[in-house]
Structure formats: C-alpha cells, structure tokens
Amino acid sequence: MRRDGGSPRVARAIVFLVPAGFFVASVGATAANRDGVGHLVVATAVLAVTLGLHLLHSTRAAVRRRKPWWPWSLVAHGVVTYAPYCFFQDTWVGIPGSFAAAVLLTTPVPHAWTAFVVLSALQVPLVAVLGETTWQGLNSAVSHVVGGLALFGVVRLADLAEELQAARTELARQAVDRERLRFARDLHDLCGYSLTAVALQSEQIRWLVRSDPQRAEEELDRTQALARHALSEVRAVSAGYRVLSLEREARAAAGLLESLSVDADVELAGRLLPGPVDETLAIVVREGVTNVLRHSKARHCAIRLTVDGGWADGVWARLEVTNDGVVPGEETTGAHRVEGPGGSRLVEGSGGSGLRNLRERVAELGGALTAGADGEGGFRLAVALPCASHDTMVDGASGQV
C-alpha cells in the first residue's frame, strides 16, 4: 500500500542525491585530467565545500529566506565556485550551476532570475579568458544553465511536496472537524426534540400519578414510545443514515403538542418539496416545537408552510412556527413550564445551540432564518428556502393536518 507520507522524504533524498551525483562526476572528471594527487585532493576538498554550501542553501529555511545568514553564505558559495579558476585555470571542474541554483533559491524574484541569466552568460567570456574556444564556452554556459535549473528544480519540487503533504494533513483534520460538527448537529436536531418531549411528559406524569393514575399510565405509555423513538434516532445518527419528512414531523409535533394540552394548528402547502428542503424544514419544525415546549407556557402553536414565487425570482418554501405564552426572559434562558393538577411549574434548563444549528443548515441551502418575540407575548420562527425550479415541485397529498 502506498504511503503518501513518504513522498516528502523521497523528495528530500533526491535533493541530496542530485548534487551528490554532480559532485561524484566532477571528482571523476578532475581525476581524469591526471594532474597529480595533490591537485585531486585540493580540488575534491573545494568541491566538497561547494556541495555543502549548496545543501545549506537547499534547506527550507534558505528557500523561504527566513535566516539572516544567507547573503554571507551566498558570497562564500560564489568564492569557492569561481576562485579556483585563478589557480587551476582550464583544469578546474566545478559543480555545474551550483552557485546559480543557490542564487535562485535564496534571492527574491525577479532579481534571482536576472542574476541567473547573467551568471550563465558570463560562462562564455570566462572560458574564453582561459584560452578555450567559443564552442567550449557555449557548452559551458549550457551545462551551467541545465545544472542550475536541475538543482533548483529538485529543491523546489521537494518544497512543494512537503507543502502538499501539509495541505493534505490540514484537509484531513478539517474533514474530521466537519464530521464532528455534523454528528453533534444531527444529534442535537434529531434527538433533542424527542428527549425534550420525554422530559416534559415525565414531569407531567409526576403531577398525574396521584391525582389521575389512569391518565398517568397512558402518558407513561406515550413516554416509553418516545424514548424508543429517541433510541432509534441515536442509532440512525451513529450509522450516518437519517431520512426526515416535513409532513411526518409536523404530524408528530401536532400529536405531541395536543398531548401536552397545547392546541396545534398545522397547515402544509399541497406540494412535495425537494429532498434537502423538505428535510431541513422538518428539522426546523422539530427545533421550533422543542423551543415552544421548553421556553414558553404556550396554549396555541401554529405551523404553516407556504410555497410561492415565480419564474423570475424562483420558488421559495416559507415555514413559520409561532406560539403564544412567551414569558419575557424565558425564551432564551432554557427554562420551561410544566402544567399539572397543582398549576404550572418552572423547570430550569440551559441554553442550547439549536437556532445556531438551524441558521447553519438554512444558510447552506441559500435561505434565511429569523426568530424572535413578536412583542405581544408570542414567538415567531420563520424560515425561507429557495427551491430549484417549478420542475422540482409536484402536487402532493399534503394539506391540512
């Protein structure tokens, strides 16, 4: 199995092997001149220094110009590249393009490329001064260009390989974070509704168990059914599989509200919505009804869906969840009221992230969400979502629930 994490290591190994190959070839060419052991030893030492300076300029710190020492090391690199010509004359064999590559790696653009061209062109007069022919000078210039570009290219490719690996790691981390957020959001949106209903009905059963045991038993059966439904939703979230229907959620919400003595008025437009829109609005109904139960002592709740728009501005699905019985300050504290034979009772809770999750979901589909008290003791949650076109809307069976 291929391991992408090894790519930067292979690239960095090539960064060393390519100049090392030039070094070995240069030592071999020097030995072939048969100028004596002393000449070979000195030339090899100078070539080794040249190799070391090139590798120094090939580090990521030098490539990104983060260190203050690179101008001085660059001067030293130039000295060991050209000074030997004064002593060895035409017998000197350096590492082709090593200094030019170092200039490209450490000098800001566009000055780097200007210097590279100048250094390559200078090879022709330099070789002419040493008594060689023009063709030999051109050959030296071409070797200088090819060697410099080769050394520069492998360093830059290694740098890009490391950047690519870092980008892959960051993308993987972001993917994990997104999946965690998705799981947390789905868990809240899918299970918060049922668990809130279980908690509220359990509170109601506490009030009924002594005064009306028969009704308490009926409510207990309903609570058990809700608990089993919540368990199935937890399994659905953990499996990454969930299918929500606006009509089904609206009917379930109406039944729950009625069981808690809240009049429910549900009206759905007679259209089948596109899947993502229908699912998002189903989650809106869940969160809206959860807020009604947790943050108010509502006696009436309305859920209304309308579909409007034309060819010019597109088709929009608009859902409203409204309720009365909002006590100032309780709509955001997380407290909720439970009715019982002895009257209403305030149960403390904690603020959640439901509306924030809804805004994120609605924004992903290009819609808008508004929520707030109406100033008359009521609360209004409104969502508008765009539908693709009239072709995606067909007559359905939904209507008055």
Side-chain angles (χ1 to χ4, degrees):
M1 182 176 64
R2 185 174 64 91
R3 297 180 61 184
D4 293 337
S7 298
R9 291 193 292 272
V10 172
R12 284 297 161 188
I14 294 175
V15 168
F16 171 78
L17 291 175
V18 171
F22 279 116
F23 169 78
V24 172
S26 298
V27 172
T30 302
N33 289 332
R34 301 179 183 275
D35 292 324
V37 176
H39 178 278
L40 178 61
V41 171
V42 174
T44 302
V46 175
L47 288 172
V49 173
T50 304
L51 175 63
L53 288 170
H54 173 77
L55 294 176
L56 177 66
H57 292 141
S58 300
T59 62
R60 291 176 62 86
V63 171
R64 296 181 177 181
R65 297 183 295 279
R66 291 178 177 174
K67 300 296 183 180
W69 43 256
W70 73 264
W72 301 105
S73 64
L74 195 61
V75 170
H77 198 162
V79 169
V80 297
T81 299
Y82 292 105
Y85 283 104
C86 299
F87 302 98
F88 300 127
Q89 300 298 319
D90 57 347
T91 62
W92 169 244
V93 180
I95 298 178
S98 172
F99 178 61
V103 170
L104 287 178
L105 290 170
T106 58
T107 306
V109 177
H111 305 296
W113 289 103
T114 301
F116 179 81
V117 172
V118 171
L119 290 173
S120 300
L122 284 177
Q123 289 298 114
V124 177
L126 177 60
V127 172
V129 169
L130 297 176
E132 302 293 339
T133 65
T134 302
W135 287 110
Q136 288 174 321
L138 291 175
N139 179 69
S140 177
V142 171
S143 298
H144 189 273
V145 170
V146 173
L149 291 178
L151 294 173
F152 169 75
V154 294
V155 172
R156 289 300 296 137
L157 286 176
D159 199 41
L160 292 175
E162 293 186 4
E163 291 178 2
L164 178 60
Q165 182 64 30
R168 287 177 174 176
T169 302
E170 177 63 18
L171 289 175
R173 185 191 64 79
Q174 291 180 2
V176 172
D177 290 342
R178 285 195 299 270
E179 184 61 18
R180 287 174 177 170
L181 290 175
R182 183 201 66 80
F183 185 84
R185 189 171 64 180
D186 286 354
L187 191 64
H188 177 277
D189 293 340
L190 293 176
C191 304
Y193 168 82
S194 299
L195 295 178
T196 297
V198 169
L200 292 175
Q201 288 196 324
S202 298
E203 288 289 337
Q204 190 174 42
I205 291 172
R206 289 185 58 188
W207 290 93
L208 294 173
V209 69
R210 295 182 180 179
S211 61
D212 193 345
Q214 183 175 357
R215 185 183 172 188
E217 185 175 352
E218 295 173 356
E219 293 298 330
L220 184 59
D221 292 338
R222 186 188 297 271
T223 302
Q224 289 176 336
L226 283 171
R228 286 192 292 269
H229 181 63
L231 179 60
S232 66
E233 289 182 331
V234 171
R235 291 170 177 167
V237 171
S238 62
Y241 176 78
R242 54 187 174 89
V243 177
L244 295 179
S245 165
L246 173 60
E247 182 177 359
R248 184 167 60 247
E249 293 302 325
R251 290 182 182 276
L256 176 61
L257 291 169
E258 294 289 351
S259 70
L260 295 174
S261 303
V262 179
D263 293 333
D265 181 12
V266 180
E267 295 181 6
L268 303 180
R271 300 286 186 89
L272 294 180
L273 302 173
V277 174
D278 188 73
E279 181 179 357
T280 300
L281 293 181
I283 294 175
V284 171
V285 169
R286 278 175 165 253
E287 181 62 27
V289 172
T290 299
N291 289 338
V292 169
L293 298 176
R294 293 182 63 192
H295 306 319
S296 73
K297 51 179 183 179
R299 286 291 176 264
H300 179 78
C301 177
I303 302 173
R304 291 187 174 86
L305 172 71
T306 58
V307 179
D308 56 32
W311 291 106
D313 56 356
V315 180
W316 286 79
R318 306 180 189 277
L319 179 71
E320 289 189 358
V321 180
T322 59
N323 63 276
D324 59 4
V326 174
V327 178
E330 288 185 18
E331 65 271 15
T332 58
T333 61
H336 58 269
R337 291 186 178 274
V338 176
E339 298 293 332
S344 65
R345 176 185 176 195
L346 185 65
V347 178
E348 295 299 328
S350 60
S353 57
L355 289 179
R356 184 176 68 250
N357 289 343
L358 287 185
R359 285 193 174 92
E360 292 175 356
R361 290 182 183 275
V362 170
E364 289 174 358
L365 297 181
L369 179 147
T370 58
D374 58 12
E376 299 179 356
F379 191 86
R380 176 177 177 269
L381 172 63
V383 171
L385 288 176
C387 301
S389 68
H390 280 286
D391 296 336
T392 63
M393 310 289 294
V394 296
D395 290 336
S398 300
Q400 189 84 12
V401 179

